[in-house]
Amino acid sequence: MHSISSIKQDLLPLRRQLKEHPIYRTVAHPDQVRFFMAHHVYAVWDFMSLLKKLQQMLTGTTVPWQPKGDPRIRRFINQIVLEEESDLLEDGTVMSHFELYLAAMQQAGVATGPVERFCQVAAIGHPVETAAERAHVPEPAAAFVQDTFSFIDANDAASIAAAFTFGREEVIPDMFRALVAGLAEDQPHAFQLFHTYLVRHIELDGDSHSHLAEEMINLICGNREQAWARVHAAARNALQSRITLWDGVLANMQDPVLDHSN
């Protein structure tokens, strides 16, 4: 019988590999942080699609409205949507975390044209593969988004919840936050907003959200062994996808042929 604890035990090697990934030690220069941001922004964007799919499947979003699913899951999902789609920042500004990330890119001098073109093409109904091609999205980021949408398109709540819970937790260690804090101190006009994003991200993905996300999976799967098996497989695939993204960003960053000015 699968369970949260048994799945987490099985995932330990992948989680350790992700936590100790060399990209965190390699990103040590402002230009490298900018290069990282130009790739990572797509993971910030597709997170919202993953979350919105959960909201569609597990809460009442149709008209005429009817209560849907477990009210505890509804509250958790809607709380996450509130904070991710319309977060209240310390200065009173309200914006989504994706919009905050775009603002951080602009402040740091990172071109936002590619991701904005990607969003425009995807918004009119083209597949993410087409949007990535037309916007010239970096290959590692394009592959990661395609992996995310493979979960979404499968239309299975257990798998999507697994990708959300295990694939999006603890993906930016405190050591990376410390690096950006230093950059924000040295170049406050360049990385202040990126530091704000990372701090807020880590605050919201703390123990409380982790516990609630795991409870969501418990409620979705119940005693259904096949659902637990799908959670297990999706969790492994989501973690591996994130590791592959970091591998690709690191390889591109170290390739002297590539233009890292984006």
Side-chain angles (χ1 to χ4, degrees), residues 17-18 21-24 26-27 32 35-40 42 137-145 147 239-256 258-260:
Q17 185 179 351
L18 183 58
H21 198 283
I23 195 169
Y24 305 119
T26 304
V27 179
Q32 293 172 325
F35 187 74
F36 174 88
M37 294 174 74
H39 287 69
H40 180 233
Y42 297 94
V137 174
E139 191 281 329
F144 182 82
V145 171
D147 286 346
L239 282 172
Q240 185 58 62
S241 180
R242 176 70 67 162
I243 293 168
T244 301
L245 171 62
W246 280 180
D247 288 344
V249 175
L250 186 59
N252 284 356
M253 189 181 299
Q254 295 174 335
D255 188 340
L258 295 176
D259 178 10
H260 295 176

Side-chain angles (χ1 to χ4, degrees), residues 167-187:
R168 302 291 174 147
E169 294 294 330
E170 300 176 1
V171 295
I172 300 180
D174 285 349
M175 59 188 295
F176 193 77
R177 181 180 65 176
L179 162 67
V180 178
L183 290 172
E185 183 177 344
D186 294 339
Q187 301 186 30

Side-chain angles (χ1 to χ4, degrees), residues 72-197:
R72 292 168 293 177
I73 294 180
R74 295 199 303 259
R75 181 174 177 81
F76 168 64
I77 292 295
N78 288 331
Q79 177 183 343
I80 299 297
V81 170
L82 173 66
E83 293 167 340
E84 292 286 345
E85 192 172 35
S86 53
D87 199 11
L88 177 62
L89 305 181
E90 288 186 355
D91 65 356
T93 302
V94 176
M95 64 173 62
S96 70
H97 288 180
F98 176 67
E99 291 168 312
L100 175 60
Y101 205 98
L102 289 180
M105 291 174 68
Q106 292 165 353
Q107 184 185 63
V110 183
T112 58
V115 67
E116 289 172 341
R117 286 195 296 273
F118 169 82
C119 291
Q120 290 167 358
V121 175
I124 60 177
H126 289 290
V128 291
E129 294 87 348
T130 301
E133 290 175 3
R134 294 187 181 179
H136 303 291
V137 174
E139 191 281 329
F144 182 82
V145 171
Q146 290 171 26
D147 286 346
T148 299
F149 272 77
S150 70
F151 293 119
I152 292 171
D153 293 340
N155 209 40
D156 173 56
S159 298
I160 297 169
F164 177 88
T165 300
F166 296 104
R168 302 291 174 147
E169 294 294 330
E170 300 176 1
V171 295
I172 300 180
D174 285 349
M175 59 188 295
F176 193 77
R177 181 180 65 176
L179 162 67
V180 178
L183 290 172
E185 183 177 344
D186 294 339
Q187 301 186 30
H189 300 298
F191 294 104
Q192 182 180 16
L193 286 176
F194 189 38
H195 180 245
T196 297
Y197 167 84

